[in-house]
Amino acid sequence: MKILVFGGTGRTGQVMCRVAEERGAAVLAPVHAECPLEDAEAVSDMVLASGAELVVNCAAISGLEACGDDPLRAHLINAVAPAAMALACRHTGARFVHLSTDYVLDGRRPGLKDESARCRPCCVYAESKREGELQVQEAWEESIIARVSWICGNPAKPGFPESVVAKALAGQPLAAIADKVSMPTDAEDIARVVLSLAVAGAKGIFHVCSQGEPMSWWDCAAVALDEAVRAGVLACLPPVERQKLDEVPFFREPRPHHIAMMSARLQTQGMVMPTAEETVRRAVRRYLAVRG
Ligand SMILES: NC(=O)c1ccc[n+]([C@@H]2O[C@H](COP(=O)([O-])OP(=O)(O)OC[C@H]3O[C@@H](n4cnc5c(N)ncnc54)[C@H](OP(=O)(O)O)[C@@H]3O)[C@@H](O)[C@H]2O)c1
């Protein structure tokens, strides 16, 4: 199978390319300069010329403050470009998978959100990603929209658990938000599930995330550090200051408190995801193995 991956240099895109190659696919992954997503025509041409049977979009501007600083660019990259990919796939008959985010959900109340949960984006990033979902579905109704969350597990592009361990090993003071919860999810699980869904001919919105109890950033830090202690690289658990989401000075864009998802549709397809705790522990082990 020939697969075109946009965003193949990113945290998820790197793993997507590797897992697809391990499954025997021929992977084409244009870098940013070869196909800037601000240019929807170039994006469409890339899909049409690629001969790909499957197109996976792992590209985005995912920094909330970067989106807030340039809403037009966020709209072009997170909404217009994915719609151009979807439309081009409709023409060629290729399967299309677009990665979206738990940030599109209404995060005002606690509780795990399945695919039928209400959307209520609360910042420019989330608005642009929700617009991307709607435009993709309008352009090519056979598309898969995989909403993912809080990605870790790629040692080359450390996520939150890996970064906390790196800071602890460097002897730096630690602080983590204790009043915002989500589901840490392994980039490898995302790649594995997304490729299987595409091959199975699935369509529509899927929540692709770990299962079990959601974690605050503080919970996630505690598990990551515990795994580093178990691995013998930390002598004991360092203290982690509890922060409140609304008190983090760097955050200029609003963030939702309760957007942890449940992967209800994956379960109906018999696809099992690990728990959030297993995900964090595995990400730390993988990071330590590479770090040496
Ligand atoms: N990270 C998370 O925790 C998280 C959580 C929920 C959802 N998501 C979603 O999951 C997906 C993957 O996220 P990620 O964290 O793996 O992404 P990432 O590491 O930020 O990578 C983004 C990719 O997009 C490319 N890109 C950005 N702007 C571009 C442009 N104008 N033209 C061409 N390429 C461009 C980047 O290339 P360059 O670096 O060369 O610009 C990079 O390859 C995104 O849809 C994101 O919204 C992420």
Side-chain angles (χ1 to χ4, degrees), residues 6-13 30-33 35-38 57-63 73 77-78 98-103 125 129 146-152 157 190:
F6 287 98
T9 59
R11 182 177 293 149
T12 316
V31 297
H32 188 146
C35 188
L37 297 194
E38 291 84 346
N57 180 28
C58 300
I61 307 190
S62 50
R73 188 159 169 265
I77 293 165
N78 291 347
H98 172 61
L99 296 195
S100 190
T101 171
D102 52 350
Y103 271 71
Y125 167 67
K129 294 294 289 186
R147 286 186 187 145
V148 302
S149 65
W150 212 8
I151 301 165
C152 58
K157 302 252 175 184
I190 294 171

Side-chain angles (χ1 to χ4, degrees), residues 19-95:
V19 172
E21 277 167 358
E22 284 168 3
R23 290 187 176 196
V27 176
L28 178 67
V31 297
H32 188 146
E34 289 171 306
C35 188
L37 297 194
E38 291 84 346
D39 184 348
E41 206 176 318
V43 169
S44 179
D45 289 347
M46 177 62 72
V47 174
L48 296 174
S50 68
E53 297 150 88
L54 168 63
V55 177
V56 183
N57 180 28
C58 300
I61 307 190
S62 50
L64 268 67
E65 276 63 40
C67 289
D69 289 343
D70 196 343
L72 177 59
R73 188 159 169 265
H75 178 70
L76 288 175
I77 293 165
N78 291 347
V80 177
M85 294 172 200
L87 195 59
C89 287
R90 183 188 196 113
H91 286 304
T92 64
R95 308 278 311 134

Side-chain angles (χ1 to χ4, degrees), residues 107-290:
R108 289 176 296 177
R109 275 177 288 279
L112 296 180
K113 275 85 184 164
D114 69 12
E115 289 84 353
S116 66
R118 166 192 164 127
C119 290
R120 186 175 178 274
C122 71
C123 59
V124 173
Y125 167 67
E127 281 165 6
S128 69
K129 294 294 289 186
R130 179 61 183 149
E131 185 61 27
E133 291 185 350
L134 295 171
Q135 288 204 26
V136 163
Q137 285 187 308
E138 197 179 320
W140 182 214
E141 65 277 9
E142 296 292 314
S143 304
I144 295 171
I145 292 172
R147 286 186 187 145
V148 302
S149 65
W150 212 8
I151 301 165
C152 58
N154 177 355
K157 302 252 175 184
F160 182 73
E162 298 99 329
S163 301
V164 161
V165 169
K167 270 186 152 185
L169 291 173
Q172 294 174 13
L174 304 174
I177 295 161
D179 62 346
K180 170 182 172 19
V181 295
S182 186
M183 281 291 188
T185 302
D186 187 345
E188 292 223 10
D189 287 323
I190 294 171
R192 175 176 61 81
V193 163
V194 153
L195 295 170
S196 297
L197 286 174
V199 168
K203 65 176 182 178
I205 295 176
F206 285 85
H207 287 184
V208 178
C209 59
S210 302
Q211 58 180 345
E213 284 298 308
M215 287 182 172
S216 71
W217 296 31
W218 193 92
D219 298 329
C220 182
V223 170
L225 294 167
D226 182 64
E227 189 61 31
V229 171
R230 283 191 193 180
V233 294
L234 283 177
C236 61
L237 281 177
V240 183
E241 183 198 333
R242 286 176 184 269
Q243 289 178 307
K244 287 191 170 171
L245 179 59
D246 298 338
E247 291 170 4
V248 179
F250 172 75
F251 291 167
R252 288 177 277 115
E253 285 288 292
R255 282 154 165 86
H257 285 258
H258 303 287
I259 49 169
M261 301 187 293
M262 63 188 292
S263 53
R265 283 194 75 200
L266 285 190
Q267 285 166 27
T268 65
Q269 307 254 335
M271 293 189 187
V272 180
M273 296 292 277
T275 65
E277 178 171 342
E278 284 164 2
T279 295
V280 171
R281 291 190 182 281
R282 192 168 53 175
V284 170
R285 284 197 298 273
R286 208 180 280 147
Y287 176 68
L288 292 175
V290 169

